[in-house]
Amino acid sequence: MCGIVAYVGHRNACPIIIKGLKRLEYRGYDSAGVALLNGDLNIYKKKGKVSELEKVLEHLQVNSTIGIGHTRWATHGEPNDVNAHPHYSSNKELAIIHNGIIENYASLKTELQARGHQFLSETDSEVFIHLIEDVQSNNDCSLEEAVRLALSMVVGAYAIVVISKHDKDMLIAARKGSPLVIGIGKGEFFLASDATPIIEYTSEVVYLNDHEIATIKKGELSITNIHATKQTPYIQKLDLELDQIEKGGFPHFMLKEIFEQPKSITDCLRGRVIAANGHLQLGGIRQYANKLVQAERIIIVACGTSWHAGLVAEYLFEDFARIPVEVEYASEFRYRNPIIREGDVVIAISQSGETADTLAAIELAKSKGAIIFGVCNVVGSSIARASHEGAYLHAGPEIGVASTKAFTGQVTVLAMMAIIVGNKKGTITDSVYHSLLFELENIPAKVEQALKNNAIILEIAERFKDAKNFLYLGRGYNFPVALEGALKLKEISYIHAEGYPAAEMKHGPIALIDEEMPVCVIATQDNTYEKIVSNIQEVRARKGRVIAVVTEGDEHIKKMAEYTIEVPATHESLMPIVSVIPLQLLSYHIAVLRGCNVDQPRNLAKSVTVE
Ligand code: G6P
């Protein structure tokens, strides 16, 4: 949600910032802007994609060795040139970029207006920079001190970078709740919402912590906290390669990420599962492993696709570990009065590790004594750091807004967790344990096999691309897959789609079925197979168009469905990792055929850092 990039050093800042903003565009793409210092502090901003801003800058050739840039996902104020970041202070001597939300901006704005400040935009961020300006002039202090004082007056979440007309080698940055990474080069610094704009320049980074303020001045980085106490920067090496954040010959990141899944799942399993030795271990879960084994219940908090992975985990933990599981939308959990007992276990699932609601939900659970396990993809992310322990997906950067390889990675990690707990508790037999390990090892090859359906899926997409509605049905482990298939389609093709447990169809959705309605049924062989065959018949009796995802060799459903897509057999608990693949491809192809922007669907953002 909003991407920020800033640079100070010896190179021309503008191209570095623009390139960085393009890498961060998945975070927001309704407008973009930069502030550059060459004599004056000049702001250039434009509604639309970063490429629109680039066109403006092309003619100007602004040379500056310092600058800040922003790509926006609107919260306060519609997407237009004026509301785009950066924002000036009244005297145009300061400018800010901001990711997050200032909750008390309205009252601050009223006070500042009473003191003569005039605002151009409707944003909360403009209030922030006026506040800093106001505090500085009232206290006659340094800019760093003014930022610190202003931060103590704002309520909300932020990652900010401030630039001043008077200091061509100083940037001030701060964070609370929204991510900020500082890349350390030779005599130069790169600041960004995540490491992707930084990786091609340096692999040494510092992740700013909440309530920290970073001042870069005359080639030196110093970090202080909100009380002005000096902090020691913890410099980390980035484990990220440039080719991981490029499209690698694919037309879209989403397609690249779909096809990467055999590899991303292999990376997720690497070193953790060695079936021949009966070895299964998650290195990140040690000290608190017993808490998980002894848990009387598990609460899972997540949003979006991660929430769907959480639903699969509910089945996994209940099946293998016999622990009751509740799966909660993080946004609902945090705003009711949830019952959390000391020692309860909370699993937070998040690709980005930055989703504001999930982060707030775990802070709430922690404050009530729960033990938090994070299942995140982004290493060093806020949720990963706020958790007691956890396991990374190791799926590599996911850039397409619609999540694909993160989902399969999440289910893989959660399956490993449930199997470990089941084994320790003795709630699964040794033979089930060993057979699950072999199945896990074979999953990447089965995903590879499922990807071979691409051509038939393209054909199905051509047939149904103009449908107005889609229904997705599944039972048992495939019910969350139905939800995920429907979400993928909605997100990127803007076709209305619903996912339902197949048996629930009779309680409502069946009324929607007519000869126009594509019904995608995930009907792989498991203990609900006979039941779902009956559900297919019910759809057919109402002339619905059945697209069935079936287990390889299933001749029975082939006779009933208009289209069948075969996937290899696996243990039913691991089937979501395989059966979701055709649904990802189907939504991708339909979106492309409809001319939609697959990687940057309208109104969405990859990382939702506002509640
Ligand atoms: C956004 C993204 C989804 C994602 C959800 C949760 O809505 O567009 O793809 O599933 O956030 O994100 P997280 O990073 O917490 O998994």
Side-chain angles (χ1 to χ4, degrees):
M1 203 125 284
C2 299
I4 65 185
V5 185
Y7 174 81
V8 55
H10 43 80
R11 309 187 211 204
N12 189 8
C14 188
I16 295 173
I17 294 171
I18 292 294
K19 199 169 186 191
L21 290 178
K22 285 187 172 166
R23 295 218 191 276
L24 289 184
E25 218 169 10
Y26 71 87
R27 301 177 68 88
Y29 32 82
D30 61 43
S31 54
V34 291
L36 299 163
L37 189 59
N38 59 341
D40 267 341
L41 181 58
N42 294 308
I43 290 182
Y44 310 91
K45 47 192 191 174
K46 199 76 197 133
K47 180 181 170 182
K49 298 262 161 71
V50 177
S51 53
E52 297 301 314
L53 172 69
E54 205 176 12
K55 282 183 209 152
V56 174
L57 291 164
E58 253 164 32
H59 306 292
L60 298 170
Q61 304 277 333
V62 199
N63 263 310
S64 167
T65 54
I66 182 169
I68 60 178
H70 188 270
T71 177
R72 179 168 185 249
W73 187 89
T75 56
H76 293 77
E78 65 169 278
N80 59 27
D81 291 359
V82 178
N83 288 332
H85 295 216
H87 292 285
Y88 275 130
S89 57
S90 293
N91 58 13
K92 294 198 160 48
E93 291 181 1
L94 302 175
I96 194 169
I97 46 174
H98 168 219
N99 169 21
I101 285 193
I102 304 307
E103 289 165 15
N104 60 337
Y105 86 104
S107 58
L108 290 170
K109 189 171 182 172
T110 313
E111 282 172 35
L112 288 163
Q113 278 167 329
R115 288 207 285 280
H117 287 261
Q118 285 180 1
F119 293 91
L120 305 173
S121 77
E122 302 154 85
T123 65
D124 52 341
S125 314
E126 191 185 9
V127 174
F128 215 147
I129 194 67
H130 281 250
L131 180 66
I132 293 168
E133 176 186 30
D134 197 71
V135 166
Q136 190 175 21
S137 72
N138 290 341
N139 293 278
D140 193 20
C141 59
S142 68
L143 183 58
E144 184 186 345
E145 201 45 37
V147 169
R148 191 184 327 280
L149 288 169
L151 292 181
S152 67
M153 296 159 79
V154 300
V155 178
Y158 52 77
I160 54 164
V161 186
V162 177
I163 185 171
S164 160
K165 177 184 169 174
H166 301 293
D167 261 303
K168 64 174 183 7
D169 55 12
M170 182 176 78
L171 289 172
I172 298 177
R175 80 156 265 179
K176 182 187 158 216
S178 300
L180 195 59
V181 191
I182 304 170
I184 303 171
K186 287 200 171 62
E188 56 184 352
F189 293 87
F190 308 81
L191 294 88
S193 299
D194 71 34
T196 53
I198 296 175
I199 183 68
E200 63 192 281
Y201 307 104
T202 175
S203 60
E204 298 210 324
V205 294
V206 172
Y207 289 92
L208 207 61
N209 291 312
D210 275 351
H211 308 291
E212 285 184 344
I213 300 169
T215 304
I216 296 162
K217 204 172 159 67
K218 296 194 176 30
E220 296 285 323
L221 165 70
S222 72
I223 297 181
T224 51
N225 67 11
I226 204 88
H227 310 295
T229 314
K230 232 177 160 43
Q231 309 291 300
T232 312
Y234 171 48
I235 301 174
Q236 301 187 38
K237 269 243 165 310
L238 275 180
D239 182 19
L240 188 66
E241 300 294 332
L242 196 54
D243 61 356
Q244 288 180 282
I245 55 168
E246 296 191 329
K247 284 189 198 147
F250 285 90
H252 298 99
F253 281 111
M254 183 182 177
L255 193 63
K256 175 188 175 223
E257 287 156 8
I258 291 174
F259 274 90
E260 252 171 25
Q261 288 174 106
K263 177 176 183 301
S264 59
I265 300 167
T266 304
D267 291 345
C268 180
L269 296 169
R270 181 166 296 118
R272 292 167 162 177
V273 180
I274 306 168
N277 301 345
H279 169 92
L280 174 60
Q281 199 173 27
L282 289 168
I285 302 181
R286 289 167 184 267
Q287 200 187 335
Y288 293 91
N290 274 344
K291 299 278 181 197
L292 196 53
V293 175
Q294 288 153 8
E296 282 181 18
R297 69 169 181 156
I298 294 174
I299 304 165
I300 294 179
V301 290
C303 303
T305 289
S306 301
W307 186 79
H308 295 156
L311 288 182
V312 180
E314 177 180 14
Y315 289 68
L316 287 163
F317 275 97
E318 294 197 347
D319 255 3
F320 297 152
R322 306 305 296 148
I323 302 174
V325 179
E326 289 158 39
V327 189
E328 302 267 2
Y329 285 114
S331 53
E332 287 299 312
F333 179 78
R334 61 180 290 204
Y335 284 117
R336 50 188 183 76
N337 190 8
I339 299 167
I340 306 164
R341 290 176 292 254
E342 187 86 24
D344 271 352
V345 161
V346 170
I347 300 178
I349 310 171
S350 174
Q351 186 286 128
S352 62
E354 301 295 345
T355 301
D357 282 322
T358 311
L359 190 55
I362 65 174
E363 294 297 355
L364 172 72
K366 247 164 94 177
S367 72
K368 297 191 180 222
I371 303 295
I372 318 291
F373 293 91
V375 175
C376 298
N377 191 33
V378 177
V379 176
S381 56
S382 302
I383 293 171
R385 289 189 291 157
S387 304
H388 291 97
E389 286 196 323
Y392 284 116
L393 312 184
H394 299 306
E398 190 182 66
I399 294 171
V401 166
S403 185
T404 52
K405 63 176 178 171
F407 176 79
T408 49
Q410 287 163 342
V411 176
T412 306
V413 165
L414 292 159
M416 288 191 277
M417 284 173 80
I419 298 166
I420 291 172
V421 177
N423 184 43
K424 287 217 165 109
K425 285 183 75 168
T427 42
I428 50 173
T429 60
D430 273 359
S431 80
V432 169
Y433 174 76
H434 287 283
S435 73
L436 283 167
L437 297 200
F438 279 107
E439 272 311 310
L440 271 172
E441 271 188 350
N442 283 325
I443 282 289
K446 294 186 177 180
V447 168
E448 187 87 62
Q449 188 65 25
L451 287 165
K452 296 202 170 125
N453 288 302
N454 196 31
I456 166 85
I457 295 170
L458 179 57
E459 196 183 305
I460 301 171
E462 273 158 358
R463 168 67 189 79
F464 292 108
K465 71 177 180 2
D466 298 318
K468 300 261 178 301
N469 299 287
F470 248 87
L471 198 57
Y472 287 76
L473 303 176
R475 299 183 80 125
Y477 279 98
N478 280 326
F479 160 53
V481 177
L483 295 180
E484 177 58 8
L487 177 64
K488 285 291 86 78
L489 192 70
K490 277 185 274 208
E491 282 179 309
I492 59 169
S493 74
Y494 320 138
I495 295 176
H496 170 246
E498 295 209 36
Y500 255 88
E504 269 297 301
M505 176 183 67
K506 289 197 268 309
H507 302 286
I510 200 162
L512 299 170
I513 295 174
D514 59 16
E515 61 278 8
E516 297 294 318
M517 178 69 122
V519 183
C520 197
V521 190
I522 305 106
T524 52
Q525 236 126 26
D526 56 26
N527 64 2
T528 62
Y529 179 76
E530 295 303 332
K531 306 273 176 214
I532 206 152
V533 167
S534 308
N535 299 135
I536 292 177
Q537 297 288 23
E538 288 156 8
V539 173
R540 289 236 311 153
R542 276 124 196 123
K543 300 198 164 45
R545 327 298 302 256
V546 176
I547 306 158
V549 177
V550 299
T551 310
E552 235 162 33
D554 185 329
E555 292 302 321
H556 188 45
I557 293 184
K558 205 176 249 174
K559 291 190 195 108
M560 288 183 256
E562 189 168 340
Y563 290 97
T564 49
I565 306 166
E566 295 191 9
V567 295
T570 182
H571 192 279
E572 66 176 314
S573 64
L574 303 178
M575 186 47 97
I577 308 173
V578 181
S579 60
V580 77
I581 303 291
L583 309 188
Q584 296 171 344
L585 283 169
L586 182 63
S587 58
Y588 171 79
H589 287 304
I590 291 180
V592 171
L593 290 166
R594 287 165 70 94
C596 299
N597 186 336
V598 172
D599 284 334
Q600 294 169 354
R602 71 181 178 210
N603 304 340
L604 296 180
K606 179 100 191 125
S607 179
V608 182
T609 53
V610 296
E611 51 175 87

